[in-house]
Amino acid sequence: MTGVHPAWLPAEAFRAVGSRRVAVHGDGLLVDTVRAEVAAAGSSSSSPHDLVLSIGSSGSLGDEGFALSRADGVTTVVANAPAGLLYGFFHVVRLGEAAFGADRPVEVHRPALRRRIVDHWDNVDLHPAIGQVERGYAGGSLFWERGALRVDLSRVRDYARLLAACGINAVAVNNVNVHRSEAHLLTDRLGEVAAIAAELRPYGIRTHLSVNFASPILLGGLTTADPLDPAVRRWWAATTRQVYETIPDFGGYVVKADSEGQPGPFAYGRSHADGANMLADALAPHGGVVHWRAFVYNHRQDWRDRSTDRARAAYDHFAPLDGQFRDNAILQVKHGPMDFQTREPVSPVIAAMPGTRLAVELQATQEYTGQQRHVCYLAPMWSEVLRFRPNGDGRPAVATLAQTGGLVAVSNAGDDRFWTGHPLAQANLYAFGRLAWAPDADPPAILDEWIGLTFPDAPPQLRQTLHAMMDDSWRTYERYTAPLGVGFMVRPGHHYGPDVDGYEYTPWGTYHFADRDGVGVDRTRATGTGFTGQYPQPWADVYESLDTCPDELLLFFHHVPYGHVLHNGSTVIQHIYDTHFAGADEAARMRDLWSSVGHLVGSDVDARVRERLDEQVRSAAEWRDQINTYFYRKSGVPDVKGRRIY
Ligand code: GCV
């Protein structure tokens, strides 16, 4: 087989629906999509019907909810609006034969979060250092090729279908680092965005665009981009009006400002609320929103300056602005205070802005988690984040706080024939959509759904083996790369593979401060950067104290001697050795497990997974040896088990 892999929508996944008599009632583009799906599945429309999907006014299902029931041999899906019918249809597909078995009382399904977005970091052009898709590990862009919009966009339609089937309803099409050619997507290249939107629309996906804050200068011939300048405001208002004339259901803008070299309001002495509100005002008449990113920090730091702490930056910049943002301005916050590391605490910004709409940003593309060469199922990490209660027990979880703005994932998909490079990385995109719909869903259960849809004929052995490989794979990856909350021990630039001091003395603010006596960043209020003070109670005290700080975050919050004893009874240095040996062994075990089931998934998937597992095993051993050797040489403390350390 050589075509594009169908991911979680192979024809076999529609067998149960396809063998039934189905009626679809209602009008609208998305209802037509459901009709087309039903027809493509091979269903008959003759009566009596086994499945009836209809738009009805009863109940309060909202735009996207649906009610499912089964009685008297008929399965019924009712929605109040077309999008709900589409999600209901895909739910029936997910259930398969189970949708047509015993009677079911009415179940109501509604998404917990209204905005469920993937952000692409796609560029129109190839960039020498980063390729076409920034931090992309799945080939080129699905939208652009060789500097131009793809001539054939049918794969974008297939992508929209995959996204809708896991509940995603918006896509930001281009990189938040908006370079020169990409800036033009807002004006003279807007037709390209409209063409992409036309492919996404039938599956209920709204299109958003990343824009350059300096667009009035870059595109409008103005001499300033000052957000309070009347000419600048007029330019944005007029430009945005044109966007909506071309794409009436356009979702809005995404902005990375004053971050890693991108322009922003600081150049004019204005605040980020001034910047975001200017765009919000331009979008408001059309019902659009601006997603304004909180990823703002000083990337020209001196490692000797212990008073500057990158983890503090987003809170320091944004918490004082709480309450100043417009209703249609959404502050988009990375889930952790640093930058998508394998292990971070939840960002304190999420608790600090009750008067601001917040979206939480996750990273499906595996920049720091194995770059889609390593198996790393991220749903357990995301689930921990979403369930975390920043203000303590009995107070709202992150998922609830994010209801005002939504959940966003940086996409891991590209023009690779398996969509995500590593075929098993598809599960991360699927899981993101499902968690955005139901944040309390169980990660292994979501994985089980993905397995069932992707490999509909999977015998129990395949299902069990995929769980054995993937359920705990994030923690396995953590074991061999990121002990006790240390991050960034990666090779600079591309961020793949180990380099313990690769970022240690650079200006990026990414330090572990290992010396001969100890390791970790002192972020306490008592003796460190004071970052723990950005958390409300109980976390401010939990993280401050060595007695209560969770082991897995110890070195994120504290600098301790190598002999410090963890809650699990091990010393820090012995824990580093033990986890790195164990993690590399687990990677090798994953490969062994796969070798007994690979033949069950088709030779092309098998070949790709094998190739990736070989690399994972090699890389995990390299991580083990580099990290263990580094810390052995720094500390001089031998491994109590006498294993080989160089
Ligand atoms: C799009 C990290 C990544 C950058 C990315 C940035 C961001 O720093 O390495 O590639 O830029 O995050 O989220 O803006």
Side-chain angles (χ1 to χ4, degrees), residues 73 87 92 131 137 157 164 207 234 283 396 464 531 547 568 631:
Y87 294 127
V92 171
Y137 311 105
R157 180 70 63 98
T207 299
R234 277 197 302 276
L283 288 154
Q464 285 154 14
F531 171 68
D547 292 337
N568 69 16
F631 285 102

Side-chain angles (χ1 to χ4, degrees), residues 189-276:
R189 296 186 71 163
L190 182 62
E192 298 173 29
V193 184
I196 296 168
E199 299 300 328
L200 299 175
R201 186 173 296 115
Y203 283 94
I205 314 262
R206 286 180 95 172
T207 299
H208 296 237
L209 187 70
S210 295
V211 296
N212 189 307
F213 188 79
S215 294
I217 301 170
L218 291 173
L219 307 169
L222 302 187
T223 52
T224 177
D226 181 348
L228 300 191
D229 184 288
V232 169
R233 299 177 71 84
R234 277 197 302 276
W235 186 87
W236 276 110
T239 301
T240 305
R241 198 176 317 119
Q242 287 221 288
V243 170
Y244 278 89
E245 274 165 19
T246 312
I247 311 169
D249 58 351
F250 180 70
Y253 299 139
V254 183
V255 185
K256 171 177 178 176
D258 290 316
S259 170
E260 300 184 334
Q262 292 295 302
F266 285 163
Y268 308 98
R270 309 300 186 195
S271 77
H272 276 240
D274 293 332

Side-chain angles (χ1 to χ4, degrees), residues 43 48 126 163 192 196 199 204 224 234 256 258-259 297 316 356 364 380 467 484 486 509 514 527 548 572:
S43 307
L126 268 178
L163 297 183
E192 298 173 29
I196 296 168
E199 299 300 328
T224 177
R234 277 197 302 276
K256 171 177 178 176
D258 290 316
S259 170
Y297 70 100
D316 285 342
T356 306
H467 278 292
L484 304 167
V486 172
T527 52
T548 49
V572 165

Side-chain angles (χ1 to χ4, degrees), residues 13 68 88 145 165 172 188 227 255 257 280 364 381-382 406 413 423 490 510 546 584 602 607 626:
L68 174 87
E145 189 180 34
D188 47 306
V255 185
M381 181 214 282
W382 298 337
V490 292
T510 47
L546 279 173
Q626 292 269 351

Side-chain angles (χ1 to χ4, degrees), residues 121 130 134-135 137 175-177 256 259-260 262 293 295 297 310 334 338-340 361 363 367-368 410 488 493 495 503 508:
W121 286 354
I130 50 173
E134 181 152 352
R135 311 306 179 188
Y137 311 105
N175 190 359
V176 290
N177 290 329
K256 171 177 178 176
S259 170
E260 300 184 334
Q262 292 295 302
R293 295 178 86 228
F295 183 60
Y297 70 100
R310 175 165 161 183
K334 288 193 183 189
M338 292 295 282
D339 193 1
F340 299 137
E361 187 179 297
Q363 196 184 41
E367 176 176 2
Y368 293 100
V410 183
F488 285 106
H495 298 170
Y503 271 113
W508 295 93

